Structure formats: structure tokens, C-alpha cells
Amino acid sequence: MAKFIVTGGLGFIGSHTTVELIDQGYEVVVVDDLSNSTIETLDRIESITGVKPIFEQFDLRDKSKVSELFKKHSDQQGVIHFAASKAVGESVEKPLLYYENNLNSLIYILQELSASENKNFIFSSSCTVYGEAEILPITEDAPVALAESPYGNTKQIGEEIIRDICKTSDEFNAIALRYFNPIGAHASGNLGELPLGIPQNLIPYITQTAIGLREKLLVFGNDYNTIDGTGVRDYIHVVDLAKAHIVALKRLIDNKNKSNYEIFNLGTGKGNSVLEVIQAFEKVSNVKLNYEITDRRSGDIESAYADTKKANEELGWKAEMSLEDALLHSWQWELNLRQNN
Ligand code: NAD
Ligand code: WQD
């Protein structure tokens, strides 16, 4: 049974990916320092899959611990690297924390991988690298824009580091996955996003407003050049996203990759405005949402949604769940969370 290391494996996307890996019969080593997740997520993974993954709790900025990890799990056949700090706003206030955390952890893992037998690597990247793309939908060939935040810059620099390593070593096999907007939760209602503090992202803010934790949702601007003036994004179900990681890993271990460094956009190919999301949420939850239109949020782009052709045809992966599915699952997760707290 192949063993994979999943860094950030107790986080939002990492935990859902760990569930899918276990469900497909793989052995998973989760690495997480719990800086943005809780240990209960390990139990949630076990309750869904019946399997408790190996858990290594440490900070990936500790180079010696990263080295110990790869010695202990020298039989690993691939790494999915989710671990990072990801709050755009916070990255503007604390750039050094973001550069240190997101780049040092990446570099230490890549150094160990370079000395390992298996050098298969999946990198969590983001559509944020495109900034405000000129042409929609956005293909992987769209130019990488000047980063709007230190966070976005760590993703761009991360991709460049991986690209340069793959240029020098053809034993290295890497895939960068550029996620659009991951949302939703596991259909069981027993796993989902756990934003600590006030949610920055739209969907957790919606569900927390609907359940009464927040007074109202502020809609950041309705004067964009979009269908109804509000921002448009490509919202992809986190389980669809998780499944794409398995497909990408298999591509590497089965040597199906066309080059030793590939990039794929992961989205649904469909853009929805904030007001469309609110409408869809009200429909699936039967809850009238309290919201108010306010000014734009600085740094926000107007519209982004993926051209999914390359992922569909090359990777052989396609998002299957709808916006409504994701919103319903997010709502069920919110209800479950609050009922048990
Ligand atoms: P998350 O914060 O839920 O998960 C990240 C996990 O990594 C957390 O459990 C955290 O405790 C852990 N972690 C962070 N730094 C660590 C360190 N130094 N050592 C060990 N563990 C550490 O985030 P997420 O939403 O699951 O995102 C996962 C990845 O996907 C990140 O790289 C993020 O940048 C990227 N991404 C996320 C989104 C999104 O909207 N959620 C979009 C595009 C890309
Ligand atoms: C979505 C839409 C907002 C909250 C961010 C990061 C990106 C990636 C995904 C890591 C926008 C509007 C939001 C609210 C609102 N993360 N909105 N009221 O900004 O597209 O992307 O998360 O890689 O890097 O930038 O996602 O969910 O914050 O916003 O009106 O309270 O909802 O203006 O149009 P975003 P988001």
C-alpha cells in the first residue's frame, strides 16, 4: 500500500484529501503543527474512514524535524504540500512570517525529497498568481501577475523554486495545482472548514451569519463590471479538489506526466457572483440571509474563473459537484459544528 506524506493534513483541504487518500487504500502520514487546525480533525478523519492516519505534529520550519520525518518514512512515494499560512490580509501585515513559513517549509521538504528515492511532489498553489487576468476563463498559460500580497508572492516564488529544481533534476516529478475558490465540506457533515476567528472568506462568513454567529454579511462592492456588479469567482467543492490530488499523485507514480513539472488550474470553469451565491445559499438552506452592500474590499479582483480544459483532458479530472451541493454541505457542517459546541 503506497504511503504518502500530506503536510497541512489537518487543515481544510488537507483533511479532505487525507480522507480521499485513505478511502482509496493509501497509507497517509499527516504532518501538521496545528497552527490553523485542531487535533479533533484527526478523530473526524478516523470516524469517516475508519482509519487513523499516522500523525506527526511539528513545525515544518524546523529543518531537523523535516529531516527526521523523511528518515522515518523513507518508504514514502510522494508528498502533497498543503502546509502554509494563507490569509491574504494577514500576509500584508506580517510579510516576514509568510515568507518564512511558506518558503522555508517548502525548501526543507524539497531538500529532503531531493535526497529521497521517490521525488514525487504536489504543490498547493492558487489562482491568486494570475491577479486580475485579462482574458477569462483563465488558462494555465495566462501570465503570472505582479503579486498583490506577500501571500500570493509566496505561491509564485514557490512555483519558481519547484520549476528550477525540476530543470536541474529530471528525477524530480512535480505538479503545481492552482486552486480557484475551494468551498464546501464533507457530505457526512463531520468535516469542514474551521476558520479561526472572524472568517475572511465568503462561504464561512455566510454560514456563520445564517446560524446567528455574525449579525450580517457585508457584500464588498456591487459596482464591478459583472452580471450584477458583485465579484465573480469559481467556487469548487473541496471534495472535488481533494480528488484531483489523488489523480495528480497517480499521474506521477504511474509516470504518466508529460514533463517533470506540470501546472493545472483546478476550478469548475463556471463563475458565480456574490449575490448569486447568496441566492443559492438561501435556496438550499431555506434561511433568509441578512446582508448589506458596502464598499469594495481593497485588493479584491473583479472576476476569476478557470479554463478547465487542461485538467479535464490532460489530468482526466473534472469537478462533479455544483455550487448548491457545496453550499448545502457547508451549511450542514456549520449546523453540526454548532450543535456539538
Ligand atoms: P488551512 O490553513 O486550513 O490548512 C493549512 C494547514 O497547514 C493547517 O492545518 C496548519 O496548521 C498547517 N500548517 C501551516 N504552517 C505549518 C507549518 N509551518 N508546519 C506544519 N503545519 C503547518 O489552509 P487550506 O485552506 O487547507 O489551504 C491548504 C493549502 O492550499 C495552502 O497552501 C493554501 O495556500 C492553499 N490554497 C488555499 C485556498 C483556499 O481558499 N483555502 C486557495 C488556494 C490555495
Ligand atoms: C470571494 C468573493 C469578495 C467575504 C481568497 C484569497 C485567495 C484564496 C481564496 C488562498 C469576493 C466577496 C468575501 C465577505 C464579500 N486563498 N466577499 N464579503 O478573495 O476570491 O480569494 O481566498 O489561496 O488567495 O484571496 O475569496 O472568499 O475572500 O471572496 O463580499 O465577507 O466574496 O469580495 O468577491 P477570494 P473570498
Side-chain angles (χ1 to χ4, degrees), residues 4-52:
F4 297 112
I5 294 174
V6 178
T7 75
L10 294 189
F12 175 39
I13 306 170
S15 57
H16 287 81
T17 304
T18 298
V19 164
E20 294 306 316
L21 281 165
I22 294 171
D23 282 351
Q24 297 228 0
Y26 295 111
E27 188 178 10
V28 179
V29 178
V30 168
V31 180
D32 208 302
D33 67 354
L34 302 181
S35 55
N36 198 36
S37 50
T38 63
I39 192 68
E40 284 74 27
T41 301
L42 202 59
D43 301 328
R44 292 179 183 281
I45 292 170
E46 184 181 12
S47 71
I48 293 169
T49 63
V51 173
K52 190 166 205 166

Side-chain angles (χ1 to χ4, degrees), residues 88 126 151 181 200-202 218-220 233 235 297 300:
V88 173
S126 168
Y151 164 74
N181 286 61
Q200 298 306 303
N201 292 128
L202 178 65
L218 299 180
V219 175
F220 297 140
R233 297 291 186 274
Y235 296 98
R297 177 172 64 178
D300 269 358

Side-chain angles (χ1 to χ4, degrees), residues 177-226:
L177 299 174
R178 290 175 178 167
Y179 314 153
F180 279 67
N181 286 61
I183 64 168
H186 193 266
S188 65
N190 197 14
L191 187 67
E193 199 166 0
L194 269 175
L196 305 182
I198 301 173
Q200 298 306 303
N201 292 128
L202 178 65
I203 306 313
Y205 207 103
I206 285 180
T207 58
Q208 288 191 11
T209 302
I211 206 155
L213 273 177
R214 309 280 162 208
E215 193 240 329
K216 65 181 162 188
L217 169 76
L218 299 180
V219 175
F220 297 140
N222 68 342
D223 58 349
Y224 289 104
N225 181 23
T226 62

